[in-house]
Amino acid sequence: MSGVKRHRRIALFAAPIVAAVFLTVPAGAAATLTVAQAISTQSGTGTVTGYVVGEPTATNTVRTSNFTGDTALALADSRTETSTSRMLYVQITSSYRSAFGLASNPGRVGTTITVTGSLTAYFSHPGLKSPTSMTAGGTTPTTPPTTPPPTGGTDAYYAAAAGKSGESLKTALHGIISSGVTKLSYDGVWNALKVTDQDPANSANVKLFYSGISRSKSLNGGDSGDWNREHVWAQSHGDFGTSAGPGTDLHHLRPEDVAVNGARGNKDFDNGGTAVSGAPGNYTDSNSWEPRAAVKGDVARMIFYMAVRYEGGDSYPDLEVDDATSSGTAPRMGRVSALLAWNAADPPDAAERARNQTIYATYQHNRNPFIDHPEWAASIFG
């Protein structure tokens, strides 16, 4: 940006600071983003207004009292937000610590602030770093900015579900995620998984789902040492096979080692069992499978998606979740009590959100609503 910038000086008075703190704010700033929009954007410079809800201490951990430092805070669009997936982690550099650090200013929690800086990951979580301004107050915007985030916000996508709960919410979401969907062939799934599940540390590999192993993209097939296409919602639970639709839906298809895929078979999901060879952290017994902790929430949200997406129309089976692990070939998967607990304990991370966006933007053009709004699972299935 060229030319001379005009600046105004704002005095902030925040206990226990006695002297005024003067911050520099560029005139003519761009439209303010909500926290949700900032989380979706994560590129370039942005100005965000939100409620201070705590101090981030790890990727999925935010301290809400007894603060230990002045170097970071978490913002949300609601002052009562508890899900870290809907929080933006903000770096507090030395210029702003005396006024905005939570160890020094615990009274900031529950108030709004407006901050401008680089929209980029912080604590391996959607964030804002290197702030150029931080000011107290500001009104959280309720309408999108003039220029939408590059990846697009989701409020408009879910407009028909606004204010609904329970069965009404399920019906609304079914209509949303079933509209305008592009169906892949089963062969097409191979190439799609090489993109949606690419190992971020090695672009030549995919990340296997249950085992967490990185494996060459070229080793896809049915032989020992290959990876193949795991149906998280077992295809025999509804007998939909590999036909276009539920059999090829990327929202529940993941790459997995052939042997591990075979060990999982068509088992329901639940806690317990014996350790699975070749897949550390996974356990299985005669009728259930417990995935490793890092993907438990992912499994739950995929199962919830399938139960909402496929409701018996379009010649597809009516898929439902239940609280059992003995459904056989019935179009049901369980155990819902375990899945709800996993959804709460393992909220969506950046990789899961990015995968959801890729499927929406590049392949199927629909979203998994439980990644965007994990709280909807309890409303529908709780």
Side-chain angles (χ1 to χ4, degrees), residues 195-208:
V195 176
T196 60
D197 292 74
Q198 178 175 292
D199 183 353
N202 185 345
S203 61
N205 288 9
V206 292
K207 195 75 170 285
L208 304 188

Side-chain angles (χ1 to χ4, degrees), residues 94-157:
S94 57
S95 301
Y96 305 104
R97 288 172 188 165
S98 62
F100 292 94
L102 295 183
S104 299
N105 305 276
R108 286 281 182 204
V109 174
T111 67
T112 56
I113 70 167
T114 299
V115 56
T116 300
S118 299
L119 295 171
T120 188
Y122 188 37
F123 285 89
S124 300
H125 181 97
L128 183 150
K129 295 176 68 174
S130 305
T132 56
S133 76
M134 296 182 75
T135 61
T139 302
T140 301
T142 56
T143 56
T146 303
T147 303
T151 55
T154 61
D155 287 350
Y157 182 76

Side-chain angles (χ1 to χ4, degrees), residues 273-289:
T274 58
V276 176
S277 176
N282 294 257
Y283 299 87
T284 190
D285 57 24
S286 61
N287 59 12
S288 72
W289 182 273

Side-chain angles (χ1 to χ4, degrees), residues 255-275:
E256 188 48 71
D257 175 79
V258 168
V260 175
N261 193 345
R264 188 264 160 142
N266 67 350
K267 295 174 182 177
D268 291 88
F269 293 100
D270 199 3
N271 295 301
T274 58

Side-chain angles (χ1 to χ4, degrees), residues 34-213:
T34 64
V35 169
Q37 291 162 348
I39 289 172
S40 295
T41 304
Q42 290 298 281
S43 64
T45 299
T47 298
V48 185
T49 294
Y51 291 96
V52 178
V53 292
E55 175 194 8
T57 58
T59 301
N60 296 313
T61 305
V62 171
R63 188 184 298 270
T64 57
S65 62
N66 301 317
F67 305 114
T68 58
D70 287 331
T71 60
L73 57 80
L75 292 183
D77 286 328
S78 167
R79 60 165 51 91
T80 60
E81 184 59 66
T82 59
S83 173
T84 57
S85 67
R86 293 187 292 279
M87 296 179 188
L88 184 76
Y89 290 359
V90 177
Q91 180 185 42
I92 309 175
T93 50
S94 57
S95 301
Y96 305 104
R97 288 172 188 165
S98 62
F100 292 94
L102 295 183
S104 299
N105 305 276
R108 286 281 182 204
V109 174
T111 67
T112 56
I113 70 167
T114 299
V115 56
T116 300
S118 299
L119 295 171
T120 188
Y122 188 37
F123 285 89
S124 300
H125 181 97
L128 183 150
K129 295 176 68 174
S130 305
T132 56
S133 76
M134 296 182 75
T135 61
T139 302
T140 301
T142 56
T143 56
T146 303
T147 303
T151 55
T154 61
D155 287 350
Y157 182 76
Y158 295 116
K164 293 181 170 63
S165 62
E167 196 63 29
S168 295
L169 176 59
K170 183 181 180 183
T171 300
L173 291 177
H174 171 72
I176 293 167
I177 66 177
S178 302
S179 177
V181 177
T182 297
K183 300 167 191 172
L184 279 69
S185 69
Y186 199 46
D187 283 341
V189 169
W190 285 123
N191 288 330
L193 290 179
K194 293 175 184 179
V195 176
T196 60
D197 292 74
Q198 178 175 292
D199 183 353
N202 185 345
S203 61
N205 288 9
V206 292
K207 195 75 170 285
L208 304 188
F209 185 56
Y210 298 126
S211 56
I213 294 170

